[in-house]
Amino acid sequence: MPHCIPNCWVSINFTVTPADSNSAKFLGDLLVGFQTPTPTSGRGSTSWQREMTDVAWQLWRQPPGPGWKGFPVAHFTPPGWQIWLLGEVYGHSAGAPKLETFLAEIAEGCRPAAELNGHLLLLAWNERRREWHVWTDRFGTIHAYHAWRDGVGALGTCLTPVAELASRRKLDWPALTGFFGFGFFPQDRTYFDDVRVLRPATHYIFAADGQLQQTRRYVEWTHQPDPQRSYEDTVAAFGELFEAIMQEQLHAGRVAVPISGGLDSRSTVAAIRSEMAPRFWSYSYGYGADSVETRISRQVAAARQLPFQALAMQPYLFDRLDLVLASVEGFQDVTQSRQALVADELAARADYVIAAHWGDVWLDDMGLVDDPAGTISPEQVAAHTLKKMAKRGRAWLLANVCAPQLPQQSPDDVLQGYIADGLKPLAQLEDPDFRVKAFKTDNWSFRWTLSSLRMFQPGAFPRLPFYDIRIADFFSTVPSAFVQGRRLQVDFLKRFAPDLARVKWQTQDANLYDYQKFDPLRLPRRAVRKAWRLATGRKIIERNWEVQFGGAAGRVGLEHWLVRPGLRLHEFVSPEKLQGLLTDFQRDPLGEGRGYTVSMLLTFSAWLERHAR
């Protein structure tokens, strides 16, 4: 029987903890080395500091420094344990059991780990059993990595030092095939074949020498729509729940609020009252001074009297490439990290940032609502999933970079295998649309979206309202038809924030009251705008890589990282092929998805030079 702390049956009702940025302590990164020397590599410019020592391991911390704020951290010492909480628990309120008690009960096993809610990672040393335990949150929002070979191991929150201490540094080509094909690494794979990222909703147990002993997923996906709740009641229930979650995340501290022309960020703004505005700073970035996105964002901010700053996207990437690589660790196309533009402003103006990521997944369908359970085969679901995951522009990468490294496998077969393996544990979900949503959350969200969120952390720590487990539990009871075409989110905004609903929705070119109405002038207006652009030679820029790669500086940067003599990239693809690709890219950058192809090659080359040697 586990040694349970008294009152472990008391229900928990939490708000965000720690809530006060003035009292919260921050940590750059945490690392456990098993029979290893002192680490020398890391994410920031600060040195590793040894915090604890055992005969079998040493615990190191890297303090925050310029360019990396890191994570809130709390350290607890209940009887028999050393416990470190990285990040924030969502939902901890006055009158509930102390956070230390709550976490100790999870460690002892007398409270289910499924109650862990927040943007967090829980690391604990069991002094009695001499074991390390790690709990990821339900979505794996803070990544941790593990490697072990020949009696040497490492466990930590940054890939580079884990690999430095315990990896053979052999590239994992099936994993890289997933990276180039999907834009993210599949499953728990990384650049190196002996380094793994800890999966979501999982409890890991490691021996004192660092060997992995046991893994157990502590919660499984379910989807059981409530037949008694009407659509109108569902809209109301979501509105009440989301308001409560947002009030928890907004209630203290200096908070930055990114705003776009879409629906997710304005859904977070809906929770802000004008009297709260002085504590917030809102911003948006667009592709040019007359950006539609920033015009809409300014209107959203003005509706709630938020201080607002419009930022025009500049060619920052090659000047800040080291910062981007260190933050996202090369796990996504470096041109996707637009947050790097605002890192200095965030550091100066905010302690936390509201990141509305994944709202568009919960509040939209996956394209299979019209194919209910029993009318579509598992093979068709897999084909649909692959189509949603696979990137345009992958073909050149798979043929020229991956295929030569996979003599016994077809790159396309590797990609299909990842899809099939990922769907197997979700077969119990009868609704095919929700099955694809669960797959996307366990894969795309875990390996792509959450990597991108680290680009906020040079300046501020992200708070994630759509990663609150209450949101996931709620949508596990909602029929997929209710969210089809963003229907529920639109009606939520119309009911709870009519002032924001009256602002244009960028993708629909109309406000939420009119976007479904037939407007005889909408198409003529678009035609006039297009004719004006053609007549004046104005080019619409819609992608960050167009800004970063355009002009003479962009061409020089690409040549430096792709065709400069001596690059390690040339071990895998010849400079002649790369030069041919760049020539085609300059001639027709939008053709054959070449923007993605070139961006991924840049990411791979820069990562090889900075982190693989």
Side-chain angles (χ1 to χ4, degrees), residues 379-438:
E379 292 76 20
Q380 289 172 306
V381 173
H384 180 81
T385 305
L386 177 61
K387 185 177 180 180
K388 291 187 74 68
M389 300 296 127
K391 293 293 188 180
R392 183 170 180 263
R394 70 188 182 280
W396 195 100
L397 296 164
L398 298 182
N400 293 281
V401 185
C402 300
Q405 307 298 326
L406 299 169
Q408 306 302 320
Q409 295 175 284
S410 158
D412 287 334
D413 289 343
V414 171
L415 298 183
Q416 291 172 8
Y418 286 134
I419 297 294
D421 290 345
L423 286 170
K424 283 178 183 176
L426 305 174
Q428 79 280 3
L429 299 172
E430 294 184 1
D431 182 331
D433 197 85
F434 195 85
R435 197 183 317 158
V436 176
K437 186 173 294 189

Side-chain angles (χ1 to χ4, degrees), residues 308-324:
F308 177 80
Q309 184 172 357
L311 303 167
M313 191 60 60
Q314 302 295 323
Y316 65 83
L317 180 61
F318 292 108
D319 292 333
R320 296 194 170 197
L321 189 54
D322 283 346
L323 174 67
V324 173

Side-chain angles (χ1 to χ4, degrees), residues 117 142 358:
N117 184 21
I142 294 179
W358 222 241

